[in-house]
Amino acid sequence: MALYVKAADVLEKAERKQGALKTLVYDSKFGNIKQLFALVCETQKFSSILEEIIESTKLLKHTKLRIHLAKVLVYDLLMGQGLKCGGSWKAMMMKHRSRLQAVLARMKVKQKVSKNEDLLPVSVQKPAGDRLPRYVRVNTLKTTVEDTVDYLKRDGFSYLGQASRLDDFTLKEKHFVRDMHLPELLVFSPKTDFHDHFLYKSGHIILQDKASCLPAYLLNPPPGSHLIDACAAPGNKSSHLAAIVKNKGRLFAFDLDAKRLATMSTLLLRAGVTCQQLANQDFLKVDPESPQYKDVEYVLLDPSCSGSGMVCLRDDASSADQEKNQARLASLASFQLRCLNHGLRFPRLKRLVYSTCSIHRQENEDVVAACLQENPGFRLVPLLGQWPERGLEPLTQCLRASTTKTRTHGFFVALLERYSEAGNEKQEPAVQICDVESTPRSPSTGEKRPAGSEEESEASEIEDKPTPAAGQDDSTPGKKRKRKRKRKKKKKKAAAAATVE
């Protein structure tokens, strides 16, 4: 029964917009996180249908159950894999099963459908072609992509090579490809389950959505770096950062929740991470001037957000809830901006990546724009010119991700870097963060790649132009001094010529 009690509690908090579903699940302190997350996601997806079944059968009146507990029980009884409880509650639900099944059957007949999924509104349904692939990140602390591919081929999988377009992600069972953007990411059909696979249990692979891999990949700190993962749990991004720096350097990871941090510690241990220093601490209370952070040059900030980009969350709030939702978004955006400003205070910081699993402009572009205005010494870096979805105007240097355009969860990523006042020269990037198109550019931007479509080339040319931060003037003290020196030289030459005459 513990599963259903926890699921009902999480479901109620999620529907009241008290937090992102994933965060609420981890905060529940339940033993089997995967099982709880799946149950709550599916129950929430079928929420309106379950409500109709419960009302039609007057289940609450007959059983004295609360609505959210009734929903999770009815879901598992009718649509899931059967009730996972015994005792009086199971006996009670089995007593009403035939009436519940009859109402569900009548609903299908009325709507002329045969599957439970077909009862959902069109906006909630996920056509087979649009289901998200299973993404697997190879953990290079323990193995290589080549060795992982060889192992999987021996295990009965068929490797189809590197993908070149999004359509290549429509895969049959047991088929897989290598991602076209992230070299250490493998892509499988949606139903592929690795939770019981040796590679997963041994930490050789990490199950992580593609969009979630972008922040660490784009930050790309070199080996030996001191870096921070500001809101670290559950730890996939931290393990990715550790793999990028090859366990050389120091990774400071913070999280407020001790339980989540303990789970993260177990994950990092399995992944072979040894460079971490975990702290059960509020990132906003970390002192950037502390001697232990004097060498921190890279920060990954993925703060608490609405979670609106997660595919199992529906943004179908009624008009009556819109005001509450907007107030919550405003509160989250304020918190995110404080975190972002705080992250930029580390004295030797070179680059900071900001990401959310939100689709709302208020938590994404608006937060970044406000931060740039308050921190004129930083600016945005154009990212992956051929990425199919950009940040909303005018912040097209940023990336967005979605189920339709990138076949991932909804996501947002921005990369900010400090630049030198003298000559407005930016820090040398350690990773190719922008694809080079036909327009010539400086060697510091990385190797050239072939241009994509015309639209991609145009987008890249626009993004390649350095964009000053909001409220920032192009003229700098260094340039002004150069102009003054030139004017003085001209005056001296003119005076000398007059003397000769």
Side-chain angles (χ1 to χ4, degrees):
M1 276 313 301
L3 170 65
Y4 297 109
V5 172
K6 287 290 185 186
D9 183 52
V10 170
L11 185 64
E12 184 175 5
K13 287 178 179 176
E15 289 185 356
R16 289 181 178 178
K17 308 292 184 184
Q18 290 181 7
L21 187 60
K22 193 172 184 180
T23 301
L24 292 170
V25 168
Y26 274 95
D27 287 348
S28 70
K29 298 179 172 58
F30 187 69
N32 192 332
I33 295 295
K34 178 194 169 190
Q35 184 185 41
L36 179 62
F37 187 68
L39 176 59
V40 177
C41 273
E42 290 302 305
T43 303
Q44 190 180 56
K45 185 170 72 173
F46 285 94
S47 182
S48 59
I49 295 159
L50 294 168
E51 238 174 85
E52 188 176 336
I53 293 171
I54 290 167
E55 285 176 9
S56 297
T57 57
K58 295 182 170 52
L59 185 66
L60 300 184
K61 181 180 177 181
H62 293 302
T63 61
K64 308 298 181 186
L65 290 171
R66 290 167 55 241
I67 181 63
H68 297 97
L69 182 55
K71 281 183 183 180
V72 293
L73 288 167
V74 173
Y75 169 79
D76 242 6
L77 180 67
L78 299 184
M79 303 172 182
Q81 298 178 347
L83 290 174
K84 302 173 185 68
C85 65
S88 59
W89 282 19
K90 183 170 184 178
M92 175 180 65
M93 292 304 297
M94 295 304 286
K95 179 182 175 182
H96 297 280
R97 182 172 65 170
S98 58
R99 290 195 306 120
L100 294 166
Q101 287 175 331
V103 172
L104 178 61
R106 283 198 297 271
M107 290 172 71
K108 289 180 181 177
V109 170
K110 186 177 179 181
Q111 294 192 33
K112 299 178 180 179
V113 298
S114 59
K115 297 178 182 177
N116 296 329
E117 192 88 13
D118 295 335
L119 291 170
L120 296 169
V122 176
S123 60
V124 179
Q125 289 183 26
K126 290 186 292 183
D130 288 341
R131 286 181 302 173
L132 298 187
R134 163 65 72 188
Y135 293 103
V136 169
R137 176 170 62 82
V138 175
N139 179 14
T140 54
L141 290 176
K142 289 198 164 187
T143 186
T144 65
V145 174
E146 291 71 24
D147 285 350
T148 303
V149 168
D150 286 344
Y151 187 98
L152 290 167
K153 285 162 70 175
R154 290 196 301 272
D155 199 31
F157 287 88
S158 297
Y159 180 53
L160 305 181
Q162 185 167 17
S164 58
R165 53 182 184 167
L166 214 56
D167 288 346
D168 294 339
F169 288 0
T170 304
L171 296 159
K172 296 178 182 178
E173 192 177 355
K174 286 284 187 177
H175 287 185
F176 72 107
V177 296
R178 192 171 183 174
D179 185 67
M180 66 281 243
H181 295 109
L182 282 71
E184 289 153 12
L185 199 67
L186 302 177
V187 190
F188 298 78
S189 63
K191 291 184 178 180
T192 311
D193 188 4
F194 283 100
H195 286 92
D196 292 323
H197 198 279
F198 164 76
L199 291 177
Y200 172 72
K201 289 182 174 180
S202 61
H204 285 66
I205 60 173
I206 309 290
L207 306 183
Q208 187 174 359
D209 185 67
K210 177 177 177 176
S212 177
C213 294
L214 288 172
Y217 172 74
L218 293 171
L219 186 63
N220 198 37
S225 301
H226 283 213
L227 55 150
I228 284 175
D229 189 349
C231 306
N236 281 340
K237 295 182 185 69
S238 291
S239 69
H240 195 180
L241 287 171
I244 291 170
V245 300
K246 301 178 181 178
N247 260 339
K248 297 173 182 176
R250 184 170 294 181
L251 169 60
F252 299 97
F254 305 96
D255 202 89
L256 259 177
D257 191 291
K259 176 72 174 178
R260 282 161 58 92
L261 209 62
T263 303
M264 175 179 170
S265 180
T266 303
L267 184 149
L268 296 183
L269 181 66
R270 185 174 66 196
V273 177
T274 57
C275 62
Q276 80 275 26
Q277 184 172 318
L278 307 186
N280 181 204
Q281 187 176 357
D282 182 353
F283 175 62
L284 288 172
K285 294 180 180 177
V286 174
D287 181 10
E289 301 296 333
S290 173
Q292 64 179 320
Y293 308 125
K294 64 182 178 62
D295 295 322
V296 167
E297 295 179 323
Y298 304 90
V299 171
L300 190 155
L301 175 63
D302 188 72
S304 297
C305 68
S306 63
S308 51
M310 302 299 288
V311 294
C312 59
L313 295 181
R314 294 174 299 148
D315 196 9
D316 59 351
S318 64
S319 56
D321 293 330
Q322 288 302 318
E323 192 173 333
K324 279 185 180 179
N325 197 36
Q326 284 304 311
R328 177 170 170 263
L329 285 177
S331 176
L332 282 167
S334 175
F335 165 74
Q336 291 152 357
L337 180 58
R338 289 202 310 275
C339 289
L340 193 45
N341 284 333
H342 189 70
L344 297 182
R345 287 180 53 207
F346 288 83
R348 292 193 61 188
L349 182 73
K350 289 182 179 178
R351 292 200 299 273
L352 179 149
V353 70
Y354 172 76
S355 62
T356 74
C357 53
S358 169
I359 60 173
H360 297 300
R361 181 180 193 127
Q362 198 167 349
E363 297 178 88
N364 298 331
E365 289 86 356
D366 289 355
V367 168
V368 172
C371 175
L372 289 172
Q373 199 155 9
E374 295 178 29
N375 299 274
F378 288 84
R379 66 173 159 196
L380 286 172
V381 179
L383 301 173
L384 298 178
Q386 293 186 6
W387 186 261
E389 191 166 10
R390 314 305 306 176
L392 302 179
E393 293 284 354
L395 303 188
T396 54
Q397 302 97 324
C398 306
L399 300 184
R400 274 181 170 262
S402 65
T403 55
T404 53
K405 292 185 180 179
T406 61
R407 298 286 292 278
T408 67
H409 289 285
F411 217 79
F412 173 84
V413 187
L415 181 62
L416 289 78
E417 73 172 2
R418 191 192 301 275
Y419 67 98
S420 168
E421 288 288 341
N424 264 3
E425 293 176 0
K426 60 183 182 177
Q427 299 282 347
E428 183 77 16
V431 63
Q432 180 178 338
I433 44 185
C434 185
D435 295 321
V436 178
E437 306 295 340
S438 55
T439 305
R441 294 169 58 192
S442 65
S444 65
T445 53
E447 299 175 1
K448 291 190 176 183
R449 292 182 184 176
S453 65
E454 274 186 80
E455 289 179 4
E456 288 170 339
S457 299
E458 286 177 19
S460 291
E461 286 173 14
I462 293 169
E463 290 151 14
D464 289 345
K465 296 175 183 177
T467 305
Q472 183 182 317
D473 197 321
D474 258 349
S475 61
T476 64
K479 288 184 177 179
K480 287 179 180 177
R481 285 195 293 271
K482 286 180 182 178
R483 287 199 292 269
K484 283 181 181 178
R485 285 197 293 270
K486 284 181 181 179
R487 284 198 293 268
K488 283 181 181 178
K489 285 180 182 178
K490 284 181 181 178
K491 285 179 182 179
K492 284 180 181 178
K493 285 181 181 178
T499 304
V500 171
E501 287 176 4

